[in-house]
Amino acid sequence: MFDLFGFLNSKPQSKNIAKDRLKLVLVHDRSNCSPELLELLKKDILSSISEHVDYDPSDLDIKITRTKDSASGKPVLVASIPIKNLKR
């Protein structure tokens, strides 16, 4: 059913949030990536970029997922790291 006034509701529906979380869990399971490995990857990435940029740790998002662009169906590491400023 088409939701004509859906654009007025800026809050995401809980069913969509739950669906996204389930997808994330499935991708982690299928990629054999443990939470410990993901934490190690996060630490390595952050230590590498911290030499060159200041970033906002409160808005950090690093995850393993599948994207529409990953035609091979393999997991993709996605990092969203807000940069405060560049170090010179």
Side-chain angles (χ1 to χ4, degrees), residues 60-74:
L60 186 69
D61 185 25
I62 298 176
K63 60 187 173 188
I64 294 180
T65 188
R66 292 181 194 267
T67 64
K68 295 175 185 173
D69 297 334
S70 61
S72 63
K74 294 183 180 180

Side-chain angles (χ1 to χ4, degrees), residues 2-48:
F2 182 70
D3 184 9
L4 184 59
F5 298 102
F7 67 92
L8 296 174
N9 186 8
S10 63
K11 185 178 174 185
Q13 292 182 341
S14 61
K15 72 175 186 177
N16 292 336
I17 294 171
K19 223 191 276 188
D20 289 342
R21 287 182 183 161
L22 180 59
K23 284 179 188 176
L24 211 77
V25 169
L26 289 172
V27 169
H28 279 276
D29 286 347
R30 291 179 184 162
S31 67
N32 293 325
C33 178
S34 67
E36 294 83 16
L37 177 60
L38 186 57
E39 275 305 308
L40 285 173
L41 286 170
K42 272 180 159 178
K43 286 179 184 177
D44 285 348
I45 290 169
L46 295 176
S47 69
S48 295

